[in-house]
Amino acid sequence: MNTYSRLPVMFVSGSGAVLKDNHNNEYLDAVSGIAVCSLGHAHPAIAEAICNQANQLIHTSNLYQVEKQMQLAEKLIALSNMDRVFFSNSGAEANEAALKIARKFGHQKGIERAKVIVMENSFHGRTLATLSATGNEKVHDGFYPLVEGFVRVPYDNVGAIEALSNDPDIVAILVEPVQGEGGVHVPKDGYLKALKTLCEQNDWLLMLDEIQTGIGRTGKWFAHQHEGIVPDVMTLAKALGNGMPIGACLAKGKAAEVFAPGNHGTTFGGNPLACATGIATLHIMETHNFIEHVNTKGQMIVERFKEALKDIAHVVDIRGKGFMIGIQLDHPCGDLVQKALEQNLLINVTRGDTIRLLPPFVIQNQQIDEMIEKVVNLVKNHQAQ
Ligand SMILES: Cc1ncc(COP(=O)(O)O)c(C=O)c1O
């Protein structure tokens, strides 16, 4: 259906940080399929894991024990210090599970019309509940009536949430540790920690949408680990399968005990093929020490952009965490995506005025140089339309 304004290019193969189109042209990929292919394209060990699993078993059902699902859950629990996992096929579905946990958690406390605090400028998906949670009018437009039960506050503003402490219907906060689609907004240090404290004080669930930030993107396995906290609920997707569709909703403590058989389900979620790919992804991340690499290289990339663009008046801000980098201009710059494509570089522009770079973790040093040089030149030469 007519859901995307697609760029005039079709990729047919890839290797590492490079994609090849159907005319044999090569492109440096600084998007990673929107933070999905963190280990790059056609990673041999990922391909091998998929082939081996496909030769063994692709799908049974959640009616039965699923060995690979249990193994991936164990691994995620070990990495996150959480207690239980529900596997889905996408990020939006993982958030749906989180929102259902919040509502049932409230129901168990006698709250019949539970409310979840969500943020301005957020993005949580395109299903009816997740688009309703999303803080973007363009995403809502045409789809009213929205799902009710959300209270919206400004991002990175603890006071705005504190002010809601007297509302007896609130059961949870749903927040991205770094806002991705909203323009790569990194909150002040201590923000998530303060939200965790507020949740403890009010018996709310802290639910972190780590769909874009998780699996190493910000230089920790999960972005909240920069603040040394553990949330009650965390959602993952995107990079968990390096391109194989998989999502996960993790829960801890009381949140992990909310669902009982019959409360939630999925046909495909947690199937052996997706989970075997997830296991391989986490294994490669771990054995190649990509987390530390992203942490140090990410800071270096932001510093280099700041230095190279410091005299450019139309650059409003350069920010990021790990390999999640935003360069905000003082005017719309969506046309830069096409201009970069013409220079064989894939970039993304979000919120109209912010270049978003999400390179794969396997990007080589000379490819980082190429990415920085091309983006800097594009920004320097860009004129407001
Ligand atoms: C923070 C966040 N949450 C949820 C989603 C939705 O994930 P999906 O497109 O897999 O449904 C996205 C996708 O961009 C996202 O960035």
Side-chain angles (χ1 to χ4, degrees):
M1 290 196 186
N2 189 20
T3 49
Y4 281 82
S5 311
R6 295 174 195 269
L7 291 159
V9 64
M10 185 190 291
F11 302 112
V12 292
S13 64
S15 175
V18 172
L19 280 167
K20 203 180 259 191
D21 73 9
N22 52 346
H23 303 292
N24 237 7
N25 301 308
E26 291 193 341
Y27 300 79
L28 177 59
D29 182 6
V31 179
S32 307
I34 321 187
V36 169
C37 300
S38 294
L39 299 176
H41 301 285
H43 192 294
I46 297 285
E48 193 187 349
I50 293 171
C51 291
N52 287 345
Q53 189 59 46
N55 277 315
Q56 202 179 321
L57 194 65
I58 292 178
H59 175 83
T60 52
S61 165
N62 285 311
L63 294 172
Y64 315 109
Q65 313 282 321
V66 183
E67 184 191 22
K68 290 291 168 8
Q69 184 183 131
M70 286 155 81
Q71 288 171 1
L72 181 58
E74 294 287 348
K75 188 67 206 169
L76 287 172
I77 281 165
L79 292 172
S80 66
N81 201 17
M82 299 191 74
D83 293 334
R84 284 179 183 270
V85 189
F86 173 84
F87 287 105
S88 62
N89 311 289
S90 66
E93 280 173 278
N95 281 339
E96 289 277 345
L99 292 167
K100 282 180 70 175
I101 288 174
R103 283 195 171 185
K104 185 141 192 275
F105 171 71
H107 181 85
Q108 287 170 343
K109 294 199 291 177
I111 300 170
E112 287 306 326
R113 304 193 71 81
K115 294 185 203 160
V116 175
I117 299 175
V118 291
M119 306 302 145
E120 290 172 5
N121 205 39
S122 58
F123 186 81
H124 297 294
R126 300 288 194 157
T127 60
L128 276 172
T130 59
L131 78 83
S132 302
T134 291
N136 182 346
E137 269 306 314
K138 278 195 200 146
V139 174
H140 297 167
D141 240 13
F143 300 107
Y144 284 82
L146 302 184
V147 171
E148 60 181 299
F150 295 107
V151 188
R152 200 170 302 286
V153 298
Y155 189 62
D156 199 13
N157 185 331
V158 179
I161 298 179
E162 249 161 359
L164 294 170
S165 293
N166 292 330
D167 186 332
D169 289 338
I170 288 173
V171 293
I173 302 174
L174 175 65
V175 59
E176 296 157 89
V178 176
Q179 286 188 330
E181 303 301 304
V184 192
H185 291 291
V186 185
K188 290 184 277 297
D189 286 349
Y191 177 58
L192 294 182
K193 215 174 206 166
L195 297 194
K196 171 82 183 168
T197 305
L198 271 178
C199 284
E200 281 168 359
Q201 286 167 352
N202 291 291
D203 195 28
W204 298 339
L205 301 180
L206 179 61
M207 310 204 299
L208 298 183
D209 180 340
E210 293 246 18
I211 286 162
Q212 192 160 142
T213 53
I215 319 294
R217 179 55 57 184
T218 72
K220 292 273 186 199
W221 276 106
F222 312 107
H224 65 263
Q225 292 174 333
H226 287 286
E227 299 219 347
I229 60 150
V230 183
D232 300 294
V233 176
M234 165 171 72
T235 51
L236 300 171
K238 290 199 182 270
L240 179 54
N242 205 58
M244 180 66 77
I246 182 168
C249 176
L250 286 80
K252 187 172 174 68
K254 58 198 175 195
E257 304 309 321
V258 167
F259 280 158
N263 289 153
H264 200 48
T266 166
T267 296
F268 292 128
N271 70 70
L273 188 64
C275 290
T277 318
I279 293 166
T281 303
L282 298 182
H283 181 71
I284 298 162
M285 291 277 300
E286 208 160 35
T287 48
H288 290 73
N289 208 10
F290 276 122
I291 305 286
E292 195 43 45
H293 173 76
V294 169
N295 212 5
T296 47
K297 275 273 152 66
Q299 284 173 26
M300 183 273 289
I301 294 171
V302 168
E303 289 313 314
R304 283 181 60 186
F305 274 124
K306 282 186 174 165
E307 177 58 30
L309 293 170
K310 65 180 189 294
D311 298 327
I312 308 302
H314 60 254
V315 175
V316 174
D317 194 18
I318 299 170
R319 50 187 179 249
K321 208 152 187 129
F323 274 17
M324 199 171 171
I325 298 150
I327 302 171
Q328 186 177 358
L329 307 190
D330 66 2
H331 57 261
C333 61
D335 58 312
L336 280 179
V337 174
Q338 174 68 36
K339 291 202 164 95
L341 187 70
E342 287 159 15
Q343 295 182 26
N344 301 71
L345 173 69
L346 306 183
I347 63 167
N348 175 253
V349 168
T350 187
R351 277 277 152 164
D353 63 1
T354 303
I355 299 166
R356 180 173 49 158
L357 303 173
L358 300 160
F361 306 163
V362 295
I363 190 169
Q364 304 293 307
N365 285 338
Q366 85 275 10
Q367 291 172 323
I368 291 178
D369 294 343
E370 181 187 335
M371 173 184 78
I372 293 175
E373 191 187 322
K374 284 185 175 170
V375 170
V376 164
N377 285 333
L378 285 164
V379 170
K380 281 185 174 169
N381 294 325
H382 194 253
Q383 313 283 339
Q385 304 285 310

